[in-house]
Amino acid sequence: MSDTPHLLELQGIRKGFPGVQALDNVTLKVRSGTVHALMGENGAGKSTLMKCLFGMYQPDAGSIVLDGSVREFANSKQALDAGISMIHQELHPIPYRSVMENLWLGRYPTYGIGPFQLVDHRKMLAETIKLFAELEMDLDPNIWATHLSVSKIQSLEIAKAVSYQSRIIIMDEPTSSLSETEVGHLFRIIRKLKADGVAIIYISHKMEEILQIADDVTIMRDGRQVGTYPAADLTTELIINRMVGRDLTHRFPPRSNVPGEVLMRVENYTSPNPKSFKDVSFELKRGEILGVSGLVGAQRTEVMEAIFGMRPVESGKIFLNGKLKSIKHPFDAQRNKMALLTEERRTTGIFPILPVFENTLMAHWGHYVRAWGLLDLKKGEDDVQKSIRALRVKTPSSKTLIQNLSGGNQQKIVFSRWLLTEPDIFILDEPTRGIDVGAKFEIYTLIAELAQRGKGIIMISSELPEILGMSDRIMVMCEGRMTGIVSGAEATQETIMHLSTQFMTPGITNASH
């Protein structure tokens, strides 16, 4: 690596939680004007290390050296004041405040005399417009955050981090909700920041991104540092081997599922919102993995939420096992043996302040009610423990708060919750988002096993290799309409992208494969 002086050094950082040693003597050295990638499986300690740097956690041992001086940050404000900002993995804007109010939260420009200060909305708007212009971001400063898509919220968080004019920016999974075009835009921003001497600490599970954007790569495993390497010396295979400590020669498990008779048929599903989905029709077979692909704005999630009774439909029919069904509410879907893993695990998937026990049983409480309305806690605990063993969930106990587990283990708990209801149809919306390569393989294996057992799987994914590697058939959507269904064995990235942009490109007619 270069002899450029290190702007930041984390030396011998240790951090423990009840039942878990999250960090064990970790050292990290970051140079100005570089992108330093931080990689490892979920639970390796990456986010914990960054939270120690950002003042959210206090390390049990070790030191933070910034510009040659030892620093201690009691809270995030002190870290921000020292020139360190962070884009968090979990997105939590204030929903009923405007974009610009979210952007300048805690540091609104004001005017007035002495204690009589008022927010200077005119100046705040001008500064917001100027920042978005510099970053080439298409965001309305006045729209409420609750109306933003996940990708727009991610862009807002990126803009906020840049607005602090920090010397070090931590980016924790910054592209998890971005389209390929938006990722390219972020990389242009990063290169501009590098040219200005800013150091970027970049956490991602996406190997292609790391090899494209990083200068140095530090790999962690089980709370320890495996090593730091020049990115130019690494390959995807080397990174995976050092992350998981073993070779993963195949990114996807072998599958022996054989699709059978039609399990579900959807006919002409149309949203009352003219900007949403229209005339969507498809079939799902028993034992089939049906991938759903499309760019941001394709309305994939909206269609599946409507099928699950979370959104109204203006017209359309749904048949299960050949019988017409009326699904107006998620309870209707659950009674018809359907399950939905939502796109945003943290927001709509888990109950973060509740333990693993409650999160596992949440969709199945009625099964444990005994006389006088009392719960059979022993049976519940037995089922939770069976789920933990079956899905190999890493947790100190069933009483551990689910928010303290890694993203991959949280996702396994959500899977186990629905498995207890014994559904026939699983709708999986971005099931591996924010999950490392090892945990991804375990989720893929679980999906393959469910298909082999005759379950019907609908899997929405923005990752084309995942769609191509796991799907028996692939349904592609563009701007709310289905543009084709392609055999998984015959599909290519070019085919999928062609169909994903069909209504965006003049002269291309509707197609079905």
Side-chain angles (χ1 to χ4, degrees):
M1 291 191 299
S2 169
D3 295 330
T4 305
H6 294 107
L7 172 63
L8 170 73
E9 294 187 36
L10 304 180
Q11 301 174 344
I13 302 294
R14 293 177 59 86
K15 181 64 181 178
F17 300 99
V20 179
Q21 184 64 42
L23 297 173
D24 186 4
N25 194 33
V26 177
T27 295
L28 180 72
K29 298 180 179 181
V30 180
R31 299 176 288 128
S32 298
T34 64
V35 175
H36 195 117
L38 192 56
M39 302 195 71
E41 292 189 271
N42 285 105
K46 309 179 300 296
S47 294
T48 301
L49 182 64
M50 292 300 98
K51 287 176 180 178
C52 288
L53 171 60
F54 197 55
M56 299 174 69
Y57 293 155
Q58 303 307 308
D60 301 330
S63 58
I64 298 171
V65 180
L66 184 63
D67 270 340
S69 300
V70 176
R71 305 293 297 270
E72 293 183 3
F73 304 128
N75 51 54
S76 298
K77 185 179 185 306
Q78 292 183 4
L80 285 166
D81 291 342
I84 302 170
S85 61
M86 183 171 181
I87 301 168
H88 297 276
Q89 180 178 359
E90 306 297 346
L91 306 175
H92 292 296
I94 301 175
Y96 296 105
R97 292 288 89 191
S98 70
V99 164
M100 68 177 179
E101 288 172 312
N102 271 275
L103 184 63
W104 304 106
L105 187 65
R107 51 195 177 123
Y108 296 144
T110 59
Y111 64 92
I113 301 174
F116 303 103
Q117 298 287 319
L118 297 173
V119 175
D120 190 338
H121 286 90
R122 182 176 297 177
K123 182 178 180 181
M124 183 162 57
L125 177 60
E127 291 295 324
T128 303
I129 292 172
K130 179 182 177 184
L131 177 65
F132 287 165
E134 290 174 354
L135 298 179
E136 299 179 6
M137 286 186 175
D138 181 23
L139 286 173
D140 182 348
N142 294 304
I143 194 173
W144 278 7
T146 190
H147 298 308
L148 296 180
S149 66
V150 177
S151 65
K152 293 294 187 183
I153 294 172
Q154 192 99 55
S155 297
L156 172 59
E157 292 299 317
I158 292 166
K160 182 189 292 186
V162 173
S163 72
Y164 283 99
Q165 298 183 330
S166 304
R167 293 181 297 160
I168 299 170
I169 300 178
I170 305 163
M171 298 186 175
D172 194 351
E173 297 287 351
T175 66
S176 61
S177 301
L178 301 184
S179 68
E180 193 171 332
T181 300
E182 290 166 328
V183 170
H185 184 199
L186 172 62
F187 284 2
R188 289 194 296 274
I189 294 173
I190 288 175
R191 292 186 182 101
K192 180 179 182 300
L193 292 169
K194 280 180 58 178
D196 293 337
V198 176
I200 310 291
I201 302 176
Y202 192 95
I203 301 175
S204 177
H205 295 307
K206 298 180 179 180
M207 308 291 172
E208 295 82 3
E209 287 183 6
I210 293 299
L211 295 176
Q212 182 180 348
I213 198 68
D215 298 290
D216 306 315
V217 179
T218 292
I219 298 174
M220 296 179 64
R221 184 168 69 236
D222 298 329
R224 299 181 178 91
Q225 178 190 9
V226 174
T228 298
Y229 316 91
D233 294 346
L234 294 174
T235 64
T236 298
E237 291 72 22
L238 279 173
I239 294 173
I240 292 174
N241 179 261
R242 288 166 181 169
M243 278 176 55
V244 304
R246 62 190 185 278
D247 287 317
L248 287 180
T249 53
H250 302 287
R251 293 180 66 178
F252 305 101
R255 302 207 324 268
S256 56
N257 60 302
V258 179
E261 70 274 14
V262 173
L263 180 58
M264 177 173 72
R265 187 169 81 251
V266 176
E267 292 184 355
N268 305 114
Y269 249 44
T270 299
S271 169
N273 180 354
K275 295 183 179 180
S276 191
F277 57 90
K278 181 179 181 181
D279 290 329
V280 175
S281 300
F282 66 92
E283 292 180 344
L284 173 68
K285 299 176 182 178
R286 193 175 296 276
E288 177 183 41
I289 301 174
L290 176 66
V292 183
S293 186
L295 303 177
V296 171
Q299 303 293 302
R300 299 166 301 170
T301 293
E302 289 77 4
V303 170
M304 296 306 154
E305 288 181 347
I307 290 170
F308 199 71
M310 294 174 62
R311 293 175 181 266
V313 291
E314 182 179 82
S315 60
K317 297 177 181 179
I318 182 169
F319 297 85
L320 298 175
N321 292 310
K323 297 180 180 179
L324 180 64
K325 297 290 182 178
S326 175
I327 298 178
K328 305 294 185 183
H329 191 278
F331 288 137
D332 300 329
Q334 190 173 340
R335 279 193 292 268
N336 282 283
K337 292 185 171 295
M338 298 171 66
L340 171 66
L341 270 74
T342 56
E343 178 182 17
E344 284 301 304
R345 176 179 62 245
R346 195 72 165 183
T347 305
T348 56
I350 66 169
F351 300 83
I353 61 172
L354 292 181
V356 167
F357 179 86
E358 281 86 349
N359 271 276
T360 304
L361 303 181
M362 190 61 69
H364 205 45
W365 276 121
H367 186 69
Y368 305 98
V369 176
R370 294 295 178 257
W372 306 102
L374 298 177
L375 290 174
D376 188 341
L377 296 179
K378 182 180 183 305
K379 179 174 176 53
E381 180 65 22
D382 288 345
D383 284 351
V384 171
Q385 291 302 326
K386 287 177 184 176
S387 297
I388 289 172
R389 289 193 297 271
L391 274 67
R392 297 184 291 277
V393 179
K394 294 180 181 178
T395 177
S397 78
S398 66
K399 304 305 179 187
T400 302
L401 297 185
I402 195 170
Q403 66 183 0
N404 293 332
L405 303 187
S406 68
N409 287 302
Q410 289 176 8
Q411 192 74 315
K412 289 180 183 179
I413 292 297
V414 179
F415 257 106
S416 65
R417 175 195 303 164
W418 286 112
L419 285 170
L420 288 173
T421 68
E422 299 182 349
D424 290 331
I425 297 170
F426 284 83
I427 302 173
L428 312 177
D429 196 348
E430 303 285 2
T432 65
R433 170 171 289 167
I435 294 176
D436 66 79
V437 65
K440 277 186 176 182
F441 190 85
E442 292 182 328
I443 296 295
Y444 296 150
T445 301
L446 174 59
I447 293 170
E449 289 172 354
L450 290 170
Q452 187 176 359
R453 285 161 47 189
K455 308 296 184 183
I457 312 292
I458 299 175
M459 186 181 74
I460 302 173
S461 177
S462 298
E463 296 188 29
L464 282 180
E466 181 171 274
I467 283 284
L468 294 168
M470 288 297 296
S471 304
D472 296 300
R473 291 186 303 145
I474 302 166
M475 180 175 85
V476 187
M477 295 187 64
C478 177
E479 296 182 355
R481 286 171 284 180
M482 192 191 78
T483 53
I485 295 182
V486 188
S487 164
E490 299 173 359
T492 64
Q493 293 200 25
E494 289 76 17
T495 304
I496 302 302
M497 287 305 298
H498 172 83
L499 292 170
S500 297
T501 58
Q502 187 159 310
F503 293 120
M504 301 176 184
T505 308
I508 298 178
T509 58
N510 196 358
S512 181
H513 296 254

